Amino acid sequence: MHTGAQYHQFFLTSRRDLEVRDRFQRTAMAMLPHGADVLDFGAGTGIDAKAYAAHGHRTYVYEPSPAMREHLLAYCSEELDRRTVVSIDSASECKVSAVTANFAVLNHFADHAQLFEQLSTIVRKGGFVLASMLNPYYLGDARYGWWLANAFHLLRRGHYAIASESRIHRFAPRVVARSAAPHFHLERIEPGGLRMATQLYMFLLFRRR
Ligand SMILES: C[S@@+](CC[C@H](N)C(=O)[O-])C[C@H]1O[C@@H](n2cnc3c(N)ncnc32)[C@H](O)[C@@H]1O
């Protein structure tokens, strides 16, 4: 179990994660209209929120873990004072152009239907949800016994959970897309094609209908 400080230190020093984070932030900011507000859902220690705020996007942060939130409040204290970062106790407290959920936040959910229902009341029409999720097809995980044991569930049901990783679920994009479908359509999946087998994280972009 990470404390906020350990998590923060790890994610700011791991080269692979820094590269993925940079790509995620650039993807989000390239699509955000100038000066648009964003909700960082499951904001962790505030690494992305600080970056979005620095680029002129008021960033609402929702983070349920007290340890993560405590670190966020310290790391983003200046932005919180200026209200360029705004901490909220429920995601429904804001109305935004986009929601970001970086580094496996949505893998904490067993089902996404209710979540997308809630997000549909938060994201303006034409806005987006960008999520980075653990990629169930990543071949780097094939060395683990659980990967092969769950390949059947993945093919058949499109999702599985690993008993040793409490409350972490892995999903084929189509399963998340089905849950989102009443309100959002899956516009883009990255990486595409065979590169899917080589990346631990996949980015899913959902557009508000
Ligand atoms: C791997 S961390 C990623 C944190 C942050 N997004 C980042 O990029 O560093 C996953 C986060 O999901 C949050 N989380 C877990 N369950 C959640 C839920 N039901 N709603 C929102 N966030 C949740 C955790 O508290 C944790 O901060």
Side-chain angles (χ1 to χ4, degrees):
M1 184 62 98
H2 296 287
T3 65
Q6 283 169 332
Y7 176 91
H8 195 74
Q9 183 60 22
F10 175 80
F11 267 82
L12 286 182
T13 48
S14 153
R15 252 180 58 190
R16 180 183 69 175
D17 294 326
L18 281 170
E19 186 276 319
V20 175
R21 185 180 294 284
D22 181 58
R23 204 154 31 88
F24 184 89
Q25 289 181 358
R26 279 190 285 111
T27 304
M29 286 193 275
M31 290 183 306
L32 272 171
H34 181 75
D37 292 354
V38 58
L39 164 64
D40 192 4
F41 183 72
T45 57
I47 302 171
D48 288 345
K50 202 180 193 57
Y52 300 146
H55 283 81
H57 301 288
R58 181 189 307 275
T59 306
Y60 293 90
V61 285
Y62 170 68
E63 172 48 58
S65 152
M68 294 290 224
R69 200 171 50 244
E70 189 188 334
H71 201 91
L72 184 158
L73 297 180
Y75 181 63
C76 295
S77 64
E78 285 176 21
E79 291 83 358
L80 288 156
D81 285 346
R82 290 196 296 266
R83 289 192 63 77
T84 53
V85 169
V86 179
S87 178
I88 54 181
D89 295 326
S90 157
S92 305
E93 286 174 35
C94 61
K95 188 92 179 165
V96 290
S97 298
V99 174
T100 56
N102 198 1
F103 279 114
V105 177
L106 298 200
N107 293 92
H108 287 267
F109 289 75
D111 181 283
H112 300 100
Q114 262 193 329
L115 173 66
F116 278 103
E117 175 85 43
Q118 183 191 23
L119 295 181
S120 74
T121 66
I122 295 168
V123 180
R124 296 189 184 93
K125 284 216 168 8
F128 66 88
V129 174
L130 179 66
S132 143
M133 296 182 72
L134 288 166
N135 170 10
Y137 303 111
Y138 174 51
L139 277 185
D141 284 337
R143 65 197 136 135
Y144 302 115
W146 54 256
W147 191 88
L148 198 57
N150 283 294
F152 173 75
H153 296 305
L154 180 63
L155 288 174
R156 182 119 195 269
R157 301 198 307 243
H159 65 98
Y160 61 87
I162 305 161
S164 61
E165 283 187 311
S166 53
R167 302 190 303 276
I168 294 292
H169 306 260
R170 293 182 197 225
F171 299 90
R174 69 182 153 87
V175 174
V176 192
R178 203 184 306 135
S179 299
H183 309 287
F184 295 86
H185 76 272
L186 179 56
E187 187 173 287
R188 199 194 308 166
I189 305 172
E190 283 176 15
L194 287 179
R195 287 192 63 236
M196 195 61 147
T198 66
Q199 308 283 321
L200 176 57
Y201 289 96
M202 58 185 184
F203 296 173
L204 304 185
L205 172 66
F206 296 91
R207 185 70 62 179
R208 177 81 168 91
R209 293 182 196 279

